[in-house]
Amino acid sequence: STWALVVAEIGESTLGKLATKPLASLAFIGAALLLVPRATVPEFASLIVVGHVLSLFGDIFLIFKNDAAFKLGLVSFLLGHVAYAAAFVARGADLGAAQRAALVALPCVALILRWLLPHVAGDMRVPVLAYVAVITSMVLCAAGATAASGVPHHLVGAVVFLVSDLFVAREKFVA
């Protein structure tokens, strides 16, 4: 489905995106559901599933190129990031590591906002700032969970999510 999604994106086919993009999200949900019964921290696994389901809705909303759908997508992903952050805390997070990560993340976020905010209309500034605060918090929780567990994919996944959102922000507000 990934190649079909790429073709749909290049061809700007809404129908093609609707047929393929949810399949990728469903694969993430399916993988997470397979892990829930074997999870050492069931709350972690369940919250990851919730985050993936909310992200599925976000992906679907973002297919449509209008402001109302974008706002629904933003809220869906914001709530998904809250679920992911809660999952990382439930897994066990090293607060000191999260604080040290903030020393790196916050200057980067300041630079991102300096680049992005001049392009964001007034009515979208508060939602965008809220979203940036939540996704940054999620990344910091992932850093804490990675430090506590030694499992690097928590932080890698969170950072990849943040970077992918920069591309969405560029497309929506800058390009």
Side-chain angles (χ1 to χ4, degrees):
S1 75
T2 304
W3 285 109
L5 175 57
V6 169
V7 170
E9 288 285 350
I10 291 169
E12 297 182 12
S13 168
T14 300
L15 185 59
K17 292 179 215 176
L18 282 170
T20 56
K21 197 163 194 176
L23 292 176
S25 295
L26 287 170
F28 283 114
I29 293 167
L33 284 171
L34 289 174
L35 297 176
V36 170
R38 294 180 283 167
T40 55
V41 183
E43 298 83 9
F44 168 79
S46 297
L47 286 163
I48 293 294
V49 170
V50 169
H52 287 346
V53 169
L54 288 162
S55 295
L56 166 66
F57 286 112
D59 279 337
I60 292 169
F61 289 131
L62 291 185
I63 290 170
F64 301 98
K65 301 296 181 189
N66 63 65
D67 289 341
F70 181 81
K71 288 175 184 175
L72 289 170
L74 184 140
V75 169
S76 297
F77 280 114
L78 183 145
L79 294 173
H81 293 312
V82 169
Y84 294 136
F88 295 134
V89 170
R91 173 96 164 73
D94 179 330
L95 180 59
Q99 290 170 333
R100 289 187 298 279
L103 295 175
V104 174
L106 294 180
C108 293
V109 169
L111 289 172
I112 290 166
L113 289 173
R114 185 173 178 204
W115 160 74
L116 181 62
L117 283 179
H119 304 282
V120 177
D123 67 323
M124 285 300 296
R125 283 183 176 240
V126 170
V128 166
L129 287 169
Y131 187 86
V132 169
V134 170
I135 195 169
T136 302
S137 298
M138 184 271 295
V139 169
L140 297 177
C141 290
T146 292
S149 68
V151 179
H153 65 260
H154 300 317
L155 182 56
V156 170
V159 169
V160 167
F161 216 135
L162 186 143
V163 170
S164 74
D165 283 358
L166 290 175
F167 288 97
V168 172
R170 181 186 172 280
E171 179 184 336
K172 175 66 179 172
F173 299 113
V174 180

